[in-house]
Amino acid sequence: MTLSMDKTGTETPALHVEGLWKIFGPKADKIINSSDAQLSRKELQEKTGHVVGIRDVGFDVADGEVFVVMGLSGSGKSTLVRLLTRLIEPTAGTVQLYGEDITAMSDKALLDTRRRKVSMVFQHFGLLPHRKVIDNIAFGLEVRGEAKSGRRNRAQEMVDLVGLSGYENNYPDQLSGGMQQRVGLARALAANPEVLMFDEPFSALDPLIRRDMQSEVIRLHEEVGKTMVFITHDLSEALKLGDRILIMRDGEIVQIGTPDEVVGAPADEYVRDFTSEVPKSHVLTLKWVMRKPTGAESADSPVLPVGTIVRDAARAVLDYDGPCRVVDGDELVGVIDDEDILRVVVAEEGTS
C-alpha cells in the first residue's frame, strides 16, 4: 500500500475520517454539543431516546490498503461504512476521499462520486433477475451513460477476471450463491472505482464457498490493487484479508492495528477475548517471538525477515542447529531458535 500525493507534495490517504459521529434521533445536532454526548450508549438512550451509532471515530486508509472494520452485531461497523459514502448522513465529522470532502459535497457531486469513484458490495447481491450476467455487470456503466459496445467489452473483461467465463449469458437464478457474489464483485470492479467497500458480503454463504470468496478477494487485490474497506464480524476473515484491522464496540474504536498487532498486543480484554482462540503461529510475525541478538550469532546461520509469519519460519528454524538471525532490511534485530518456535506452538495447544 502507498499514499498518493496531493498538489503540494503531501501524502494523501485514500480515506481520511475525522471526528465522525452518527446519533439517531430528532435532536441529534443538539446532543453533539451538550454534556449528554459523553454519556454511554445505554445512558443516552435511557435519558433522551437517542441512539449513538458512531462516536467520534477517526482513521486513515492508505491507497491500495485492505482495511478491515470488525466487531460484533451492534458495534456500528455497518453504520460506519454507510457514512463513508453518505448513504446515511453523519451528525458531525469529516470524510475525505483522496482529499475531496465527501461530507461537504452537493447532491450532484456525491452522486457522481458514488458512480465513478466508489463501489459497494453487500451481503445481498442485488442482482437484476431479468438480466443476464454480463448485463448485470455492465449495469453501473449503463447508468453512467457509457456506450453499449464499451460497457459490454468492459463487462466481458470483468467476467474473465472473476472467473465467470462461460456464464455470461446465464441469469442470476441459474448461478450458485458464490457465483452470484462473483457477479457482484465484477459489477463493482467494472466501474473502475478508486475504493471498493464490502459490507459483510460473504456472511450468508456456506463456509467452503466463503473461504473461496475470501481467497478471490485476495487474488483480485493482488491483480488490480484497489483500496478496499471490508466490514465483517468474523475475526478469522479479518485476519486473512486485512492489512490493518479496526475493531469497534458500541460505536467506538477499540483498536486499530495490523493482524499481528491485534493478536500480539490486544488493547483490552474485549480484543483479548476476540483473539484468544486464534492460532498465533499463523498470525504472529517473528518480531513477537524473537530475542535480542547477543553479538555471537554465526555468520552462516539462516536469515529471516522480521515480518515472516512464525508458521512460515518454523521449518527453517527447526532444521537449523542453533539460533537463526532475524533482520529488518540490512539490520540484525533479533535471533530465534527452535525453543522460541515451540513456545508458540505449545501455547496454541494449551488454548485449543
Side-chain angles (χ1 to χ4, degrees):
M1 60 185 170
T2 60
L3 288 174
S4 59
M5 309 290 279
D6 65 16
K7 294 178 181 179
T8 66
T10 304
E11 292 179 340
T12 304
L15 275 169
H16 172 71
V17 179
E18 185 175 344
L20 194 63
W21 285 77
K22 180 60 182 179
I23 298 178
F24 295 96
K27 299 180 179 178
D29 292 340
K30 294 182 179 179
I31 288 174
I32 282 286
N33 297 313
S34 74
S35 59
D36 288 344
Q38 305 307 314
L39 297 174
S40 70
R41 176 183 280 183
K42 182 179 179 181
E43 291 169 339
L44 182 68
Q45 187 169 7
E46 290 176 348
K47 181 178 178 180
T48 69
H50 289 66
V51 176
V52 174
I54 295 294
R55 182 192 296 271
D56 198 19
V57 164
F59 58 88
D60 286 347
V61 178
D63 180 46
E65 181 176 20
V66 180
F67 188 82
V68 175
V69 179
M70 72 158 296
L72 299 176
S73 178
S75 63
K77 57 189 185 298
S78 290
T79 298
L80 175 60
V81 75
R82 284 161 171 77
L83 289 170
L84 297 180
T85 55
R86 281 175 57 194
L87 291 176
I88 56 176
E89 292 289 339
T91 307
T94 302
V95 177
Q96 293 181 357
L97 176 68
Y98 289 99
E100 292 187 87
D101 190 348
I102 298 286
T103 43
M105 282 182 177
S106 66
D107 290 345
K108 183 177 183 299
L110 181 60
L111 182 60
D112 188 64
T113 294
R114 290 175 183 162
R115 286 179 175 174
R116 299 180 182 278
K117 299 182 179 180
V118 179
S119 289
M120 295 196 70
V121 182
F122 296 97
Q123 175 182 336
H124 302 291
F125 316 128
L127 303 182
L128 301 171
H130 61 287
R131 289 197 171 206
K132 296 177 180 179
V133 164
I134 195 162
D135 296 318
N136 265 283
I137 293 170
F139 181 68
L141 303 178
E142 181 181 343
V143 170
R144 278 190 349 199
E146 298 194 13
K148 184 175 182 178
S149 60
R151 65 182 188 248
R152 293 277 294 194
N153 289 339
R154 175 66 177 172
Q156 185 62 53
E157 290 176 9
M158 296 304 101
V159 164
D160 299 337
L161 181 65
V162 302
L164 286 174
S165 300
Y167 294 93
E168 297 91 332
N169 295 314
N170 286 57
Y171 289 93
D173 64 0
Q174 297 174 313
L175 305 178
S176 67
M179 293 176 74
Q180 288 183 38
Q181 193 57 285
R182 285 175 188 267
V183 178
L185 278 171
R187 182 177 56 190
L189 287 164
N192 194 24
E194 295 176 351
V195 178
L196 280 163
M197 296 187 183
F198 300 81
D199 189 7
E200 302 204 60
F202 310 142
S203 59
L205 300 177
D206 293 338
L208 289 177
I209 298 174
R210 181 173 186 162
R211 188 164 58 200
D212 287 345
M213 291 307 299
Q214 291 166 356
S215 298
E216 185 69 7
V217 168
I218 293 171
R219 182 186 71 82
L220 288 172
H221 184 258
E222 290 173 350
E223 289 197 24
V224 300
K226 297 292 184 184
T227 304
M228 297 181 177
V229 177
F230 197 102
I231 309 299
T232 184
H233 65 270
D234 185 332
L235 179 62
S236 63
E237 186 166 75
L239 294 172
K240 181 175 182 178
L241 297 179
D243 293 316
R244 285 188 302 147
I245 301 169
L246 182 158
I247 298 179
M248 298 191 71
R249 178 182 57 207
D250 294 337
E252 298 183 70
I253 295 174
V254 179
Q255 184 170 1
I256 299 177
T258 59
D260 61 307
E261 288 170 344
V262 169
V263 173
D268 61 11
E269 285 300 318
Y270 178 75
V271 182
R272 190 171 288 108
D273 287 343
F274 251 129
T275 61
S276 61
E277 296 185 7
V278 171
K280 292 182 170 49
S281 67
H282 294 203
V283 180
L284 293 182
T285 59
L286 295 183
K287 79 173 185 178
W288 297 98
V289 296
M290 67 185 186
R291 292 172 285 112
K292 290 183 179 180
T294 63
E297 292 75 30
S298 169
D300 297 325
S301 64
V303 175
L304 298 165
V306 70
T308 307
I309 301 295
V310 170
R311 178 183 60 176
D312 297 337
R315 176 54 57 198
V317 175
L318 295 175
D319 283 350
Y320 184 71
D321 185 19
C324 296
R325 290 170 292 162
V326 181
V327 298
D328 185 359
D330 295 329
E331 180 184 0
L332 177 67
V333 293
V335 294
I336 187 167
D337 60 19
D338 53 359
E339 290 187 9
D340 300 314
I341 295 290
L342 293 173
R343 192 178 303 117
V344 178
V345 175
V346 169
E348 285 177 0
E349 292 176 349
T351 60
S352 60

